Amino acid sequence: ANLPSGPLTTEEIRPYLNRTLDAPEESSPPLVLGKVLLFRTRGELGKGRYAERSMKQVEELVDYHKQGNPIDDCGRLIGLEASGYPAMWKLQKEFAILLGTIGLVKAASEIFERLGLWDEVIDCQRLMGNEERARVLIEKRLDEEGERPWLLAAMGEVTRDEKWYSKAWEVSNGRYAKAMRLLGRLLISKNEH
């Protein structure tokens, strides 16, 4: 469950989130408090002055999980289903995405790699300018997973070779529009349009 989008909705929900967080810890199960903190963090992501606080809050939630705290005993399971609290890997993924959005791409890449989210690792490597590492990862994924349009287009971006975009378009039966968009961008940059 995510926060509904829109500034009015965020402003309407904020007092309830703050009230829950300001209440004594004994009044709410830890998972409910964690989910409320996550809601508040998601609502503040787009606001520049809250970016650092948002990052610290998600990092604290990840660290809390790593300590083995959230669901160790039965008493802490209260509110698990109702809170919609994310799995540990989803929380870490969200933290890595947050790191990437504020420019800490290498740290994000390390988390994605630990989680085995290879598409995201490839994106991070390309953003950092590690084209060769990205190419090696894409080749490995192609060997393991077979031809996927996203991987083929990513190979085209790394190698700047038109054949990969055409192959992505072909494999997707003409449905992966990003391949044609990237091919067009490549041809324009080469002045071959």
Side-chain angles (χ1 to χ4, degrees), residues 14-136:
R14 183 172 289 133
Y16 298 106
L17 299 177
N18 290 338
R19 173 67 179 110
T20 304
L21 290 171
D22 291 341
E25 284 188 33
E26 311 83 47
S27 64
S28 296
L31 288 174
V32 173
L33 290 174
K35 184 63 177 187
V36 167
L37 189 60
L38 199 53
F39 267 140
R40 186 171 78 177
T41 300
R42 288 174 180 159
E44 293 176 347
L45 282 180
K47 299 179 179 165
R49 67 181 194 195
Y50 295 117
E52 186 178 349
R53 179 169 84 172
S54 295
M55 188 182 75
K56 285 183 180 179
Q57 288 172 346
V58 175
E59 187 175 21
E60 285 177 22
L61 290 170
V62 169
D63 290 344
Y64 186 71
H65 259 301
K66 284 181 182 176
Q67 296 169 3
N69 291 334
I71 52 174
D72 283 349
D73 22 75
C74 293
R76 293 178 183 225
L77 286 173
I78 297 169
L80 176 64
E81 291 298 319
S83 71
Y85 199 78
M88 176 59 173
W89 70 271
K90 285 185 179 181
L91 194 59
Q92 286 182 330
K93 179 182 177 183
E94 192 165 334
F95 180 57
I97 291 170
L98 180 60
L99 289 173
T101 59
I102 62 170
L104 299 172
V105 181
K106 185 174 183 183
S109 179
E110 291 169 359
I111 293 171
F112 287 137
E113 193 164 346
R114 203 172 48 243
L115 295 173
L117 299 171
W118 298 109
D119 291 356
E120 288 82 356
V121 173
I122 291 167
D123 277 341
C124 288
Q125 293 301 318
R126 286 186 14 241
L127 283 171
M128 292 188 299
N130 297 338
E131 303 291 328
E132 184 58 29
R133 172 123 163 83
R135 188 187 60 72
V136 168

Side-chain angles (χ1 to χ4, degrees), residues 126 131 152-161 165 178 182:
R126 286 186 14 241
E131 303 291 328
L152 295 168
M155 183 63 96
E157 286 184 276
V158 169
T159 62
R160 299 185 55 76
D161 189 348
Y165 299 121
K178 183 178 180 181
L182 291 170

